[in-house]
Amino acid sequence: MERISQPITKAVIVALDALFKSSKVDIRLHDLENVPDQPVLFVINHFTRLETIFMPYIIKKYLNRYTFSLAHYSFFGGGFGRFVEKLGGVSTKDPDRDIIFTRSMLTGENSTLIFPEGQMVKDKKLVEKGKYMIYNTGIRRPPHTGAANVALNTEFYREKMRYLKENNFNDELKTILEHFRLTQQDLGGILAKESLIIPVNITYYPIRVHNNAINRLVERFVKNISDRMEEELEIEGTMLLDGVDIDINFGKPIHPREYLNGCKTALEKVSNTRLYLDSDELKKEVPFNRPSIDLMQRYMDAIYGMTTINSDHIFAYMLTKTNRSKIHECDLKNRAFLAIEMLKEKKIPNLHTNLYKNQFHIITDDEHQRFNSFIDAGVSDGLITMKDHYIIKNKKKFSEIYEFHTIRKDNIFEVFTNELEPLPEITRLLIRSAARPAFLARRKIRRYFLELDQRFFEEDYEKYFLPDESKPKDIGRPFFMKRWYQRKGIILVHGYMAAPEEMRVLADIIHGKGYAVYGVRLRGHGTAPEDLDSREWIEWYNSVNRAYIVMENSVRQFAIAGFSTGAGLALLQASQKGDRLSGVISISAPLKLQNISSRLTSAVVAWNRFLDRLHVGKGKMEFIANTPENPHINYLRNPVRGVNELGKLMDVVEKNLSAIQIPALIIQGSNDPVVNPVSAMEIFKKVGTTKKEIYEIYSERHGIVRGDTAEKVAERVKDFLESVFD
C-alpha cells in the first residue's frame, strides 16, 4: 500500500512547470478561498485529456495539496501508465482503490479528484429533457454517482468510528482502523474533520482546431494513428501552441454529511457494531441510491453553473438559434453587444475577463480579432460562408448529427452552444436577444450610444468647467440631425481645440440636402484645455467610433468627413472600416504643420514628465497661448501634450493611408496658415483608392468650413456624396 502516501511526484511538477511556461496557455484561477482546510474531494468537468495532467499539478502548486485521481484502467501499463501513476492516478481496477480514496478523505492527508462524467464530454452535450445525460458508446446515460458514493461512504465510516469510540467497542474500532491503514493516533484528527466536495469548472477559450506541430510530429513517428487520437492532438495541440485561456472556477463546499444525515437507513447502520468493510456488503446493506443521486445532481449543477461565459458562446448561440439562413454581420454583432451588456447588468457571474471590458469595439467594424477568429473557424469548418458582409449558414451542417469523437472538428459552434444549455438564465436571455427584430436592436444600439455621448459631454463639462474659459454647452455638445425615413448620412468631425459647433454650418447645408448628420465631439474638446490635456488620441478615435455606431444603425449608407485633426481621424476610420463607409472627405488634414514648434512637443512632454517624477512644479511648459480664428468655439490655451498626441495620431494616419480603398475627396485651402498645403497632395498620392479627387479652395484662413468658403466646401461635399451613394 505504498500508494497511500505517493501521489504526484516532484519530478512531474517540475516537468509541468516547464511545459506551461513554454506554452501560450494562460491559467486563471478563481475563488481558491472556497477550498477549506478539510478533507476535500474535487469533482471536475472533463473536456480534454489535459485535465488529467494539469489539475493534480494545479492543486499541488496553488493549494499545496497532493491528490489521488481515479483513472480508467486502460490508461495503465507501459510508459504512459507509469506517468499517470506519478500524477497520482489510481486505476478503476486497483484492488485497493476504495481504501486509498476513503483513507485520503478520512485523514485529509491527500485530496481526491474525480471526473463525475466518467469520460471526456467532447460535445459538451449534458442536458437532455431537463436531466444530465452523458454520451457513452452510442447511448446517453446519467453521470456516474461514484464521487457521491466515495464522499457518502467516507462520512459513513467516520460516523461509524465515532459511534464505536463513544461506546467503547475497541476491537471493532481497531479492525476498522487497520482496514484503512490507520492508527489510534489518527483517530482524533479524523473525528474532528468532515469530508467536503468542491465542484470545479474548467472552461477553455478560444477553442480552435487545426493541424499543428504536435500532431505532425506524432504522425511522423506513429503509423496509422486513429481518427480519435488525431482529433485530440489537433484540439489539444492547438491549445498548447496557439494559446488558450483556461479559467478554473472553484465552487463553494458541498457537505455530504447533510445527505448522510438525511438517509434514515444509513444512520441506523452507523449505530451497530457491524463494520461493512466489504464493498459489496456496504452497497447491499447501506444503499445510498437516492442520496447519491441527489448529491450528484447538486455538484453537477454547481460545476456547470460556473462555466466561464465568453464571446464564442454568445456568437455561436445567437447564430445557432436564429431561424434565418443568413444574417448580416452587423446584426449579429449588435445582438451580441446587447446580450453582453445585459449579462453585465444582471451581474451574471463567471464572465470571461474580456467581456468585462468595453464591448463597443465589437460593433465599430474595426478589426476585431475575436469576432474574426470565430468567423474564420466557422468558414474553415464549412459551417458558414461570407458574402457582402452577410453570414450565410450551411443548413445541412447546422442540422446534421455529428459523431461524438469528431464533433469538435466538425461543428465547434454546436459544442459552444451545448456548453450553455445547463445555464437556463443565460440561454433565455440569449434566445430573447436572437429573436428581437433587427430594427429594434438597431434602435436600442443607436439610443444607447447617443445617450452615452451626451453623458460623456455632461460629465466632462461639469468636471472641467472654467467660468472664464469654457464656452456655452451648445458649442461643445455633440449633435444628431435626423431625417424622416433617413437612408443616407454623413459623420462630421471637428478639429483640434475646437468643438462640434465648428462643423455646424456644413452640417446645416448638408442636412438641408436630405442627409442625416452626426456632429462628433472629440473627448477633451468643448469643455476646457485641462480636459484636452488629459486625453490620448485613441480617445478621439473612439469618439468617432461612437458616431459611426449611431450612423450605422440609423441609415443604409453613409460617409465620413473631417476638418483638420478631424480629417485625420476620418482618414483613419476609412482605412479601418473598408467598404462599410461609402466615402471619406478630408478637409485640411494636418499631415504637415506650418509651425515648426510642433516638432518640439515630444521633447517638452518628456521634460514635463521628468519634472513630475521629481515632484518639481517649476520649469514645466504645459500650455501655450492660442489665437484662434473662431474664439467663440476654440480654446485660447493649447496643451503641449495635446499637440504631441496630434503628432502621434497623424503618424498612424500616414502609415494607414494606403489601406483606404473607398472613394476619397481631399479638400485644402491654398494659403492655409496652420496646415502646409502640400499635405493635401501627399495624402492624395498615398491613399490606396483609385477613386480619388483633390480640390483646392483659395483661402488665407485655416478654417475653410466656416465663413465665406463654407458654401463652396459644402457644395463640393454634396457633389461627392451624390457620386458615391446609390
Side-chain angles (χ1 to χ4, degrees):
M1 278 295 294
E2 69 274 6
R3 296 236 56 213
I4 286 294
S5 58
Q6 289 183 354
I8 185 170
T9 65
K10 290 182 179 179
V12 171
I13 291 173
V14 171
L16 291 175
D17 267 334
L19 172 66
F20 286 114
K21 283 178 182 176
S22 63
S23 75
K24 294 182 180 179
V25 170
D26 183 9
I27 297 175
R28 299 120 169 267
L29 306 179
H30 309 280
D31 301 321
L32 281 172
E33 65 275 9
N34 282 335
V35 183
D37 186 20
Q38 291 287 338
V40 166
L41 167 61
F42 295 98
V43 285
I44 307 173
N45 62 315
H46 198 11
F47 180 64
T48 71
R49 300 263 177 228
L50 292 172
E51 292 110 21
T52 58
I53 296 173
F54 73 71
M55 280 311 298
Y57 159 79
I58 290 294
I59 292 168
K60 176 64 181 96
K61 184 176 179 67
Y62 295 98
L63 291 168
N64 197 29
R65 292 171 180 244
Y66 287 105
T67 59
F68 284 117
S69 56
L70 187 63
H72 195 267
Y73 68 87
S74 60
F75 287 116
F76 295 85
F80 185 73
R82 289 191 293 274
F83 178 68
V84 172
E85 286 185 351
K86 288 179 179 179
L87 285 167
V90 178
S91 169
T92 52
K93 287 192 174 182
D94 189 323
D96 291 323
R97 180 192 69 184
D98 293 341
I99 295 175
I100 292 171
F101 287 135
T102 303
R103 183 184 189 280
S104 293
M105 293 291 288
L106 285 169
T107 63
E109 182 179 298
N110 302 304
S111 294
T112 304
L113 186 159
I114 293 178
F115 300 104
E117 300 98 334
Q119 64 180 63
M120 289 194 296
V121 185
K122 293 184 176 183
D123 60 358
K124 296 195 177 182
K125 180 67 177 172
L126 291 145
V127 178
E128 193 169 285
K129 296 180 179 178
K131 296 180 179 179
Y132 287 106
M133 301 293 283
I134 310 295
Y135 176 89
N136 183 248
T137 61
I139 63 169
R140 293 273 169 184
R141 59 158 178 80
H144 294 315
T145 56
N149 284 323
V150 168
L152 290 168
N153 290 347
T154 301
E155 285 307 290
F156 173 81
Y157 288 126
R158 194 188 310 276
E159 294 309 305
K160 172 66 74 172
M161 283 188 260
R162 192 186 312 279
Y163 171 80
L164 295 174
K165 181 177 185 298
E166 290 174 353
N167 292 277
N168 298 314
F169 292 116
N170 297 322
D171 290 341
E172 290 80 357
L173 181 58
K174 181 180 178 183
T175 300
I176 197 171
L177 287 170
E178 288 177 350
H179 177 78
F180 290 112
R181 281 58 166 183
L182 299 166
T183 67
Q184 285 286 345
Q185 286 73 30
D186 297 318
L187 188 59
I190 290 170
L191 299 183
K193 292 182 172 73
E194 177 189 4
S195 299
L196 300 172
I197 293 177
I198 299 293
V200 181
N201 179 277
I202 304 171
T203 312
Y204 301 92
Y205 175 70
I207 301 170
R208 299 291 181 261
V209 188
H210 59 74
N211 195 271
N212 58 73
I214 292 178
N215 69 291
R216 288 196 296 271
L217 183 65
V218 172
E219 287 170 358
R220 183 177 176 183
F221 293 102
V222 180
K223 301 300 181 185
N224 302 317
I225 65 171
S226 67
D227 291 342
R228 181 172 171 177
M229 178 180 285
E230 183 177 356
E231 184 266 356
E232 291 175 11
L233 288 169
E234 287 191 15
I235 287 281
E236 294 168 36
T238 301
M239 286 180 175
L240 289 171
L241 297 176
D242 286 6
V244 65
D245 297 339
I246 305 179
D247 283 277
I248 305 176
N249 292 290
F250 291 82
K252 293 182 178 179
I254 297 172
H255 297 258
R257 187 177 290 175
E258 295 174 7
Y259 293 81
L260 177 70
N261 292 338
C263 182
K264 184 178 178 181
T265 304
L267 293 177
E268 290 173 354
K269 301 298 183 183
V270 164
S271 304
N272 64 39
T273 56
R274 288 182 61 183
L275 303 182
Y276 309 101
L277 296 178
D278 180 79
S279 58
D280 291 333
E281 180 189 18
L282 180 65
K283 287 179 184 177
K284 181 179 179 181
E285 296 293 329
V286 191
F288 285 127
N289 294 344
R290 186 70 258 169
S292 66
I293 291 172
D294 291 344
L295 183 52
M296 178 271 288
Q297 184 73 32
R298 170 89 176 273
Y299 58 64
M300 290 294 285
D301 284 343
I303 291 169
Y304 288 100
M306 294 187 293
T307 297
T308 300
I309 311 303
N310 57 58
S311 56
D312 279 354
H313 289 130
I314 310 293
F315 295 139
Y317 206 87
M318 293 282 189
L319 201 54
T320 302
K321 296 302 179 181
T322 183
N323 293 324
R324 287 172 290 169
S325 60
K326 72 175 186 177
I327 181 172
H328 197 281
E329 63 176 337
C330 173
D331 191 12
L332 178 61
K333 290 176 180 180
N334 278 351
R335 295 172 191 277
F337 173 84
L338 292 172
I340 293 167
E341 291 303 305
M342 282 190 282
L343 291 174
K344 291 193 288 190
E345 185 180 314
K346 289 181 176 291
K347 297 186 175 2
I348 298 293
N350 305 321
L351 299 183
H352 189 276
T353 52
N354 279 324
L355 297 190
Y356 288 109
K357 298 175 182 176
N358 192 326
Q359 293 301 303
F360 93 108
H361 289 291
I362 291 177
I363 50 178
T364 61
D365 288 335
D366 283 345
E367 186 77 12
H368 191 274
Q369 188 268 330
R370 295 184 183 273
F371 180 78
N372 292 346
S373 173
F374 171 82
I375 293 296
D376 290 345
V379 171
S380 176
D381 290 349
L383 296 167
I384 57 174
T385 54
M386 296 294 298
K387 185 176 181 181
D388 298 329
H389 303 297
Y390 276 92
I391 303 166
I392 303 168
K393 295 166 63 175
N394 183 330
K395 291 183 179 179
K396 181 176 180 295
K397 283 272 192 177
F398 273 84
S399 60
E400 194 172 324
I401 296 175
Y402 291 90
E403 204 278 317
F404 177 80
H405 290 294
T406 62
I407 189 171
R408 297 187 297 186
K409 284 178 62 175
D410 297 336
N411 190 346
I412 195 65
F413 288 3
E414 186 171 327
V415 176
F416 298 146
T417 300
N418 288 343
E419 194 169 23
L420 292 188
E421 290 300 333
L423 300 165
E425 183 181 5
I426 291 171
T427 55
R428 284 194 298 268
L429 183 150
L430 295 180
I431 287 170
R432 285 201 306 272
S433 189
R436 179 187 284 120
F439 80 91
L440 288 180
R442 289 196 298 272
R443 187 165 70 186
K444 191 164 186 177
I445 292 279
R446 180 172 65 243
R447 184 183 301 135
Y448 179 94
F449 282 96
L450 282 171
E451 290 174 356
L452 183 64
D453 255 1
Q454 294 296 325
R455 187 170 77 247
F456 280 159
F457 172 67
E458 293 290 345
E459 291 172 354
D460 293 347
Y461 194 87
E462 181 178 353
K463 180 178 179 180
Y464 291 100
F465 177 77
L466 294 174
D468 297 326
E469 275 195 76
S470 296
K471 318 301 181 190
K473 280 188 176 182
D474 287 347
I475 299 294
R477 189 185 303 280
F479 58 83
F480 184 37
M481 304 170 74
K482 305 176 187 177
R483 301 291 307 185
W484 287 107
Y485 305 110
Q486 54 199 23
R487 293 178 179 273
K488 300 173 184 178
I490 187 169
I491 297 169
L492 298 181
V493 192
H494 66 77
Y496 180 70
M497 290 194 295
E501 183 65 21
E502 182 175 56
M503 306 299 284
R504 181 73 68 171
V505 174
L506 190 56
D508 287 338
I509 296 172
I510 295 173
H511 181 251
K513 300 296 183 181
Y515 297 97
V517 181
Y518 194 99
V520 178
R521 179 190 79 100
L522 305 178
R523 292 297 294 272
H525 294 77
T527 52
E530 281 72 14
D531 188 5
L532 182 55
D533 185 53
S534 70
R535 305 294 176 179
E536 297 180 350
W537 72 264
I538 194 66
E539 295 180 80
W540 308 338
Y541 183 78
N542 285 336
S543 298
V544 185
N545 266 335
R546 288 190 293 277
Y548 176 90
I549 294 167
V550 169
M551 196 60 77
E552 185 177 46
N553 287 282
S554 301
V555 298
R556 291 188 177 181
Q557 296 175 290
F558 63 104
I560 187 168
F563 166 69
S564 194
T565 298
L569 291 163
L571 291 166
L572 188 55
Q573 286 279 329
S575 73
Q576 302 301 306
K577 306 302 197 241
D579 61 0
R580 295 175 180 86
L581 285 165
S582 296
V584 58
I585 302 161
S586 166
I587 307 170
S588 305
L591 205 61
K592 293 185 181 296
L593 296 173
Q594 295 281 39
N595 190 345
I596 195 169
S597 65
S598 64
R599 303 174 193 171
L600 304 176
T601 57
S602 58
V604 174
V605 169
W607 172 250
N608 288 344
R609 286 175 179 164
F610 173 71
L611 293 178
D612 282 339
R613 285 196 294 270
L614 297 179
H615 304 290
V616 175
K618 287 186 177 182
K620 292 171 68 176
M621 182 181 179
E622 295 178 326
F623 297 92
I624 53 178
N626 181 46
T627 307
E629 294 172 351
N630 300 298
H632 67 294
I633 295 174
N634 295 81
Y635 292 154
L636 303 181
R637 290 180 296 131
N638 183 358
V640 172
R641 187 168 178 271
V643 181
N644 192 48
E645 290 300 311
L646 171 57
K648 291 178 183 178
L649 166 65
M650 295 313 298
D651 285 345
V652 175
V653 171
E654 188 168 8
K655 290 173 184 175
N656 283 275
L657 289 175
S658 62
I660 297 174
Q661 297 298 324
I662 59 173
L665 170 64
I666 317 299
I667 301 176
Q668 177 63 52
S670 61
N671 298 314
D672 193 324
V674 175
V675 171
N676 192 324
V678 302
S679 293
M681 184 53 70
E682 287 199 24
I683 292 170
F684 180 81
K685 289 178 179 178
K686 290 180 179 180
V687 292
T689 181
T690 56
K691 297 177 181 178
K692 52 187 174 181
E693 306 172 39
I694 188 167
Y695 180 65
E696 186 176 74
I697 293 178
Y698 177 79
S699 178
E700 301 285 341
R701 301 171 67 248
H702 175 56
I704 57 176
V705 292
R706 298 182 68 84
D708 58 2
T709 53
E711 287 198 15
K712 291 181 182 178
V713 171
E715 190 64 27
R716 193 68 196 88
V717 169
K718 179 186 73 70
D719 291 344
F720 177 77
L721 294 179
E722 289 175 355
S723 71
V724 298
F725 289 143
D726 296 338

